[in-house]
Amino acid sequence: MKQPYYQLDFSALLCKFEVKINDIEILSMNLDGQTSTDIPINSAIFGSGLQKIEVKGYPLEGTKTMHPEAYIRYKVKEQEVGTGEFMFVKDFEKYQTPAVHQGVPFIYHTSTFRAEVPYELESWKTLQNTKDLKTDVKPALTQAYQQIIQKAKSGDYKPLVDAIKVVEVRNAKTMYLSEQDTYQRVKSILGDIAGGFKIMDLSDARTISYAANGKLLRFVRPDGNAALALENEETSEQLVLDFWFCLPDGNEEFKIF
């Protein structure tokens, strides 16, 4: 079975940028310099068909205007990994944001490409657009978080582990990971918990962040990081858990995606 693996060949200069695939952020950074990297994007591809790319560049933190030399340049690369090695298949069209002109608040480019993958996340088709709901979603979303947090605080980490497994099973499907790979990723977080990391309370200043055109949502802290996190008080280290929640059709309770 073929296993197409898609990467974004990406470079940027002198801007605070964000990259989204299908309205899911895969990378953001304040770049006071230049970078060039390949970003795996299969984790935001949930089935074959047309995929959307959006890149935005903003003024650097501490500045109010775009640097005149700022740009974002990118193209999609397809490789085949079914043999256990990365075999080049093809490059898609290369794009670059337009030149910065005085007074322009940001730089932006969007494009699409067609992916062919041997999997499809059936659950993706059944998710509600939570932006269209006429009720306030914050209380129900808070409850979904607290079901995990309060259990963990009492010493029961099973709901958290179950949530981690849901995320890792999805990642395994889109990234062609083995059962052993998934096991090791879950084991790593369990090791952190055993090593002194404890679940953190939700920040009172949390806000809702949406993705995938309203199908996914989560709380974020004032610094922009996901709200669900573990903390080691002895080392002052934090482990942010990058979870998204969703609302399947016919459900009133948010689920981990």
Side-chain angles (χ1 to χ4, degrees), residues 46-70:
F46 303 137
S48 297
L50 208 60
Q51 318 294 324
K52 183 179 181 180
I53 306 172
E54 292 178 278
V55 297
K56 278 188 179 182
Y58 301 94
L60 291 167
E61 291 182 358
T63 68
K64 295 182 179 180
T65 59
M66 292 297 304
H67 192 284
E69 297 179 18

Side-chain angles (χ1 to χ4, degrees), residues 12 18 41 43 51 55 57 59 81 83 94 98 104 116 131 149 155 157 173 183 188 200 202 207 220 222:
E18 64 178 28
I41 59 176
S43 60
Q51 318 294 324
V55 297
V81 298
T83 63
K94 189 173 186 177
V104 172
E116 297 295 335
K131 285 185 175 181
I149 293 172
Y157 275 86
K173 180 172 285 190
Y183 170 77
S188 175
M200 298 176 65
L202 285 176
T207 57
V220 294

Side-chain angles (χ1 to χ4, degrees), residues 43-227:
S43 60
I45 297 173
F46 303 137
S48 297
L50 208 60
Q51 318 294 324
K52 183 179 181 180
I53 306 172
E54 292 178 278
V55 297
K56 278 188 179 182
Y58 301 94
L60 291 167
E61 291 182 358
T63 68
K64 295 182 179 180
T65 59
M66 292 297 304
H67 192 284
E69 297 179 18
Y71 70 80
I72 298 173
R73 185 182 298 140
Y74 69 94
K75 68 178 177 181
V76 173
K77 298 193 302 185
E78 180 182 340
Q79 300 185 78
E80 171 59 40
V81 298
T83 63
E85 298 181 0
F86 286 81
M87 304 293 293
F88 175 78
V89 177
K90 64 180 178 181
D91 284 336
F92 290 80
E93 187 175 352
K94 189 173 186 177
Y95 299 100
Q96 181 168 329
T97 52
V100 175
H101 297 291
Q102 187 173 2
V104 172
F106 60 85
I107 53 178
Y108 175 78
H109 196 275
T110 181
S111 64
T112 59
F113 73 99
R114 186 166 294 277
E116 297 295 335
V117 293
Y119 60 82
E120 185 170 20
L121 300 188
E122 289 296 331
S123 63
W124 180 248
K125 299 177 181 179
T126 68
L127 301 185
Q128 300 180 51
N129 182 345
T130 56
K131 285 185 175 181
D132 289 344
L133 299 178
K134 296 180 180 179
T135 57
D136 181 8
V137 300
K138 191 170 184 178
L141 185 58
T142 299
Q143 183 179 7
Y145 273 86
Q146 294 295 7
Q147 287 176 349
I148 295 174
I149 293 172
Q150 295 307 316
K151 283 284 189 179
K153 282 187 168 293
S154 68
D156 180 6
Y157 275 86
K158 185 179 184 303
L160 176 61
V161 172
D162 288 344
I164 294 169
K165 288 180 179 178
V166 169
V167 174
E168 292 305 331
V169 166
R170 172 171 53 81
N171 286 337
K173 180 172 285 190
T174 61
M175 301 295 288
Y176 315 118
L177 302 177
S178 67
E179 289 187 10
Q180 182 63 22
D181 291 330
T182 302
Y183 170 77
Q184 290 298 332
R185 287 159 73 101
V186 175
K187 183 180 178 181
S188 175
I189 295 178
L190 292 177
D192 289 327
I193 293 172
F197 279 83
K198 304 295 183 184
I199 197 121
M200 298 176 65
D201 287 316
L202 285 176
S203 167
D204 290 337
R206 65 188 181 275
T207 57
I208 295 177
S209 174
Y210 294 92
N213 300 311
K215 288 187 174 184
L216 303 179
L217 72 170
R218 65 181 178 186
F219 284 129
V220 294
R221 296 182 290 184
D223 62 3
N225 284 317

